[in-house]
């Protein structure tokens, strides 16, 4: 039966394919006690779960044998060793017998206890092994809970991924060739998984309540990432309608192709720098293809997120050099690690903080992990010899942090001098303005920074006290709330007074209806998600700066987000009707 759900549109486009339903990664097993007579049955279930898991893993290892690297095989071997360990199985069975609990609860409790033990070991290599224990736990729980293993890595045909939740790392590992669309129960418009989906160009809708429970694997699913609608098992009329939408979407994309080679210049001749946001070096090519002028935000933490081990200085260098190669004479803004909050290293993944968005995140994390920070800075500086690199520090809240980060960078420069290694001695160092604290002290921060980039995703969340990834409060999250706009205006004015460049790299810059407002507020550099470059460029080329100033003046005088939003939408519709 057809199921229609309205959620939050996070990545535009339409996809129609069979559903691949992914398990919730983190099972929570309630403690259920059993009748003493049941114990023998539960112990038997433990035994067969181990048998199933070993068989599954052996098959997987054999299938991977040819293609995979030694590293993958090593991981399989470690997991198999755990599963074949008799004392582990005995400990779980003993718990079922002595405490009369279900097999799944005993598996869950025993493995979590072991994982916690690993997590607290100071040695990084050992504490990272906690990830393996969780993987083994999931493998054992899946047969016990009667869930089939759905494996995205082994997709051989196009599919729509349906899940309760996806981590940024999971989303980043999707192959665009097979993953056609994404639909998740939770999430917000600027959560990092959504950002990754956008930059991969995969249509996505989030905040769909219990959609993942309504869909059966193999159902046909339509993801309408432009309107924020998903449909499972569509009827023939709906299918016909959506096939037509798909044609229209392609037609718009083709029309916009014409604009790619043109400059991002307003009708009255103001040149705007239209840059791209990337998470991986490979995306730099997309930015170039779409007609972007350089890289305005390279989210380097993804280098950390997709590997089990920390990247080496050469891993960093190679990634940066690869990006610069695509834009040898254009700006490439490399942001230092923005780890923490919803982006954990493999090691920290199982040590959640109480309030992670207010916790040890970003520049704070770097300043407390100096060897890691210095390794990254050294690689960025080495890469700066090959292009026009700019360094950017995220989540600044006070002057001290900028000074400290710059001091560390100077240390690294001295080391490079001593080693006779080349780097750009005039490399520009800027900061992200993405906290109200930084916005309100922008005038003094501007004396320490060569440029500002406004991170509206975080600025909105911290100003409005609305978690950017929480669907329960998503209607309160808007970058055009008067409070946020006033801060943006302050930042731009202070940057102008200090004569430093100011850009916007938050998702706000990728929204067609906000372009006129941002230009009108004085922004001359926008950094956007690569697939949106042509559309944003088309808008820039269709307006005059004077029109934009008028729009901004009107908006700043308004005191309701609803009015601002609808005013901006109607203005953008006048400019580019076919996009809406
Ligand atoms: C922002 O906060 O607006 C930003 C660009 O950084 P990120 O989305 O990576 O937090
Ligand atoms: Mg941010």
């Amino acid at each position: 039966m057809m199921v229609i759900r309205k959620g939050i549109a996070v990545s535009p486009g339409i996809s129609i394919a069979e559903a691949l339903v992914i398990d919730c990664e983190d099972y929570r097993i309630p403690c259920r006690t059993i009748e003493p007579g049941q114990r023998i049955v539960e112990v038997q279930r433990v035994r067969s779960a181990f048998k199933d898991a070993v068989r599954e893993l052996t098959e997987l290892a054999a299938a991977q044998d040819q293609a995979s690297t030694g590293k993958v095989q090593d991981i399989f071997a470690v997991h198999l060793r755990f599963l074949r360990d008799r004392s582990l199985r005995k400990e779980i069975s003993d718990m079922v017998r002595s405490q009369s609990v279900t097999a799944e609860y005993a598996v869950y409790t025993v493995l979590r206890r072991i994982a916690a033990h690993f997590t607290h070991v100071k040695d990084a290599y050992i504490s990272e092994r906690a990830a393996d224990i969780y993987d083994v736990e999931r493998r054992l729980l899946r047969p016990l809970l009667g869930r089939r293993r759905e494996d995205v890595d082994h997709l051989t045909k196009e599919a729509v991924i349906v899940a309760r939740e996806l981590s940024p790392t999971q989303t980043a590992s999707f192959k665009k060739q097979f993953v056609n669309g994404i639909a998740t129960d939770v999430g917000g418009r600027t959560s990092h998984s959504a950002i990754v989906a956008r930059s991969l160009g995969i249509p996505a809708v989030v905040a769909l309540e219990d959609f993942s429970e309504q869909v059966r694997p193999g159902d046909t699913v339509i993801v309408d990432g432009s309107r924020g609608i998903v449909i499972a098992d569509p009827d023939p009329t709906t299918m016909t309608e959506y096939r037509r939408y798909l044609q229209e979407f392609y037609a718009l994309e083709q029309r916009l192709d014409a604009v790619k080679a043109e400059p991002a210049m307003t009708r009255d001749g103001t040149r705007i720098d239209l840059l791209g946001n990337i998470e991986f070096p490979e995306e730099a090519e997309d930015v170039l293809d779409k007609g972007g002028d350089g890289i305005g935000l390279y989210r380097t933490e993804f280098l950390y997120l997709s590997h089990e081990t920390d990247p080496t200085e050469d891993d960093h260098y190679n990634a940066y050099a690869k990006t610069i190669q695509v834009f040898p004479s254009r700006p490439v803004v490399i942001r230092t690690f923005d780890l923490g909050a919803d982006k954990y290293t493999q090691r920290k993944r199982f040590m959640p903080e109480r309030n992670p968005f207010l916790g040890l995140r970003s520049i704070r994390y770097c300043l407390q992990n100096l060897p890691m920070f210095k390794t990254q800075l050294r690689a960025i500086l080495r890469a700066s010899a090959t292009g026009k690199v700019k360094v950017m520090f995220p989540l600044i809240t006070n002057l001290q942090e900028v000074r400290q980060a710059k001091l560390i960078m100077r240390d690294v420069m001295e080391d490079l001098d001593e080693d006779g290694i080349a780097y750009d001695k005039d490399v520009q160092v800027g900061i992200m303005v993405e906290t109200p604290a930084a916005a309100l002290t922008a005038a003094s921060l501007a004396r320490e920074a060569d440029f500002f980039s406004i991170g509206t995703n975080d600025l909105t969340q911290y100003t409005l006290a609305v978690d950017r990834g929480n669907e329960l409060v998503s209607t309160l999250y808007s970058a055009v709330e008067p409070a946020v706009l006033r801060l943006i205006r302050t930042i731009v004015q202070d940057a102008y007074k200090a004569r430093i460049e100011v850009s916007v790299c938050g998702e706000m810059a990728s929204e067609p209806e906000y372009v006129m407002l941002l230009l009108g507020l004085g922004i001359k550099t926008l950094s956007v998600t690569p697939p949106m470059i042509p559309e944003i460029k088309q808008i820039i080329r269709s307006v005059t700066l004077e029109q934009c100033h008028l729009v901004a003046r009107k908006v700043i005088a308004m005191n309701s987000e609803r009015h601002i939003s609808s005013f901006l939408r109607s203005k953008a519709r006048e400019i580019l009707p076919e996009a809406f």
Side-chain angles (χ1 to χ4, degrees), residues 192 195 297 299 301 335 338 343 361 432 434 455-458 468 505-506:
H192 283 100
I195 289 173
L297 169 64
R299 292 184 164 99
E301 57 278 6
R335 173 175 79 179
D338 186 28
K343 291 175 289 194
R361 181 189 170 192
M432 289 196 69
E434 51 181 348
T456 51
N457 304 337
D458 278 315
R468 59 195 267 190
C505 65

